[in-house]
Structures are given as structure tokens and as C-alpha cells.
Amino acid sequence: MIKLAIHKKQNSFSDRWISYCDSNKISYKIVNCYDSNIMSDLNDVNALLWHWAHHEPEGQLVARQIISAIEKMGIVVFPNINTCWHYDDKIAQKYLLESINAPIVPSHVFLIKDEAIQFIEKAQYPLVFKLRCGAGSQNVQLVKNKYEAKKLCRKAFSKGFLAAKGYFADAKTKVRNIPNIEAFIGKMKRFPRSVKNIISNRRLLSVQKGYLYFQDFIANNQYDTRITVIGDRAFGFLRKVRPGDFRASGSGQILYDNDKIDMRCVEIAFDVSKKLNTQSLSFDFIFDSENEPKICEISYCYQSKAVHDCPGNWDHKLNWNKGHMWPEDAILLEVLRLISES
Ligand SMILES: Nc1ncnc2c1ncn2[C@@H]1O[C@H](COP(=O)(O)OP(=O)(O)O)[C@@H](O)[C@H]1O
Ligand SMILES: [Mg+2]
């Protein structure tokens, strides 16, 4: 009989995995992947499901290494290392996507200050500056000229940047997205805990320094196209940019309109997922001046409700399957399929 191991973390994908297993009578046990005995705890299971996130300092420190080790046990792991080694690491994504000739926004990485300065002197502006890590556009900014670029360069090669912003960063967007008074009260109740977590994470996550990362600025995009590929399913929606800004990620303005989804994005997302052997990956596309879709970022973590609310999904032949589906369920079905193949 099949038995799964699930790393339980409240408000992560594990909530749904556990309830799915309970209602479908799938045998499972709860494990803690940060426990020193995790390898022996996995001796009697066929697969492990673990949804580790970028803002967990312990995950950033050891999740990739633990997952690489678990794969050697011959069990199915979600996320497999192909799915997550580049997670929350835009530098890794640049090299990875270039290696398979995937269409990406032209990206420039410098690890030597003098080489960065030479680039800054000759570059076309504006450019987009990014830290390798972060989400919700927190660590992404427009650089208007070489003086701004040099300032960032000095900081990058001296004291560096904190990996996470404070609680009040992007406050306008957060306030705009509070749907009602109940949500506001909930936010206020969680305020002390949220601030404590952010302060602790800011202390523990590595300071970002010793590199400089720029992308060419792709102007005039009103929204990102977000495609999420899980096994043989692709979900698609659009995310509008913030008013008066160029950044969509974290805007909370989601649009479900298949007529506005360029099917080239779905094809590219399936193609890249296949080449990389990933189990679940979201892709953000923007369109360049020739209207060619370019990948801006990939990530195995995403908001599950946004994917669930898609009206359906495509398979790799672009057949449309109507109906909502939780991505956690799609992942679990994919894991069961992989077990049956192993
Ligand atoms: N090179 C670029 N040109 C134009 N817009 C960009 C570029 N890179 C990112 N953006 C916009 O900024 C947003 C945040 O960038 P992204 O790299 O996805 O960071 P995050 O990891 O915070 O989501 C994207 O959703 C996109 O709308
Ligand atoms: Mg993004």
C-alpha cells in the first residue's frame, strides 16, 4: 500500500494535502524535514511532500541539500531538486534558462565590481535592478541613470542589502488590497506576530552582497502573464501592474481572461518544464518591443488560491479542461503518478 510523508506547516500546501489524503483514504504520516532524523523517518514511505518557502531562513539554509539527499533514497520527492534548486534565486534562473535557450528577459550578472562599473558606464537606461531573492516586487527597482546604478553598485560590493523588506514596505498596495473590515481586523490581530516574524527573518536571511544583477527594462507591459505548469496541466491568469508603476508581482490585481492569454506562453511553459523535468513551476511572462513573450521569473511557490480560481487548465496538446482545481491536488496526483511509474 502507498504511504506518503507530509511536512506539516500551517497555511502552506500541506493543509490541503492532509485533508485530501484524509478524504481519499490515502495513508500518510507527518514528518519534520528539519529534524536531524529525517532520513530514517522516511524509511517506510513512497514519497515526501514538502512546501518550503523563501522567507523561511531554515529552508533557505538546508532545504535544497536535504532534498538532494532524500532523492538518493529512491523515493519520490515533491519538490524534486529540478523543481526547486533555482527557487528564489534569479541568478540561478538566468543561467538555467539560458542553458536551454529559453526566451528570457536579457539579464546581466556581475560578481566583480570593476566589471560592473564598466557595464554601468556603457549601459542603456533605464535598467531594472534586482536582488537574486525576494517576492512581490519587494527587491525590484527601476534604475534611471548611471549615477543611480553606481550607488547600488557601491552598496552591493560593501555592506549589501537586507533580503527582506520591513512590514510597512509597499503599504499602499497592501491597504488597497484589504477587501473588507473583517480582513482589516484580522490583519490588525496578526500585526504583532507578523512584525516579530519579519524582524527575525531579516536577521537570519543572508545579507545580499558581492553581486550586482540587472535586467533590460521591457517597457509598456500593463500586466504579467502567469502560467503555472503542474504535470500535464497549465493554469493561466494575468496580473496587472500597480497604478503608476511597472511592477505586477504583489499587486494583488488578478484577471482571469483566457482571451488575453497568449498561447505561446503556455507552449513555452510546457516546453521549459519538460526540458527541466520540473513537477510544478510558475512562469511570469512579459512582452518585449517585438511582442515576443519573455520569461521574467520562475518559481515553484505561488499563491494556491490564484491558481485554483482559474476557470480550467490546458494539457500539453492545449486541450482545455474546464473546472477549478486546487494546485495542491494537482501536485498530489502528479506525485501518485510518479510513484506508480517508479
Ligand atoms: N526587466 C523587466 N522589465 C519590465 N518589467 C519587469 C522586469 N522585471 C520585472 N518586471 C516587473 O516587475 C515585477 C517584479 O519582478 P520579479 O522579477 O518577478 O520579482 P519578484 O520576485 O519580486 O516577483 C514583475 O512581476 C514584472 O511586472
Ligand atoms: Mg515575480
Side-chain angles (χ1 to χ4, degrees), residues 88 90 93 105-107 127-142 213-224 226 239-242 245-251 284-287 295-299:
D88 198 42
K90 295 179 171 72
Q93 292 165 26
V105 175
S107 308
L127 283 171
V128 178
F129 165 86
K130 300 185 180 187
L131 296 184
R132 71 194 303 180
C133 60
S137 300
Q138 278 200 355
N139 296 332
V140 174
Q141 73 182 76
L142 204 62
Y213 179 95
F214 291 119
Q215 277 187 340
D216 291 358
F217 175 56
I218 312 289
N220 303 324
N221 278 272
Q222 298 309 310
Y223 45 75
D224 289 2
R226 160 66 66 98
R239 298 189 302 177
K240 284 203 257 178
V241 301
R242 293 163 173 76
D245 201 317
F246 69 101
R247 299 167 308 164
S249 169
S251 75
D284 288 328
F285 289 91
I286 50 181
F287 289 79
I295 302 171
C296 176
E297 203 194 6
I298 54 176
S299 175

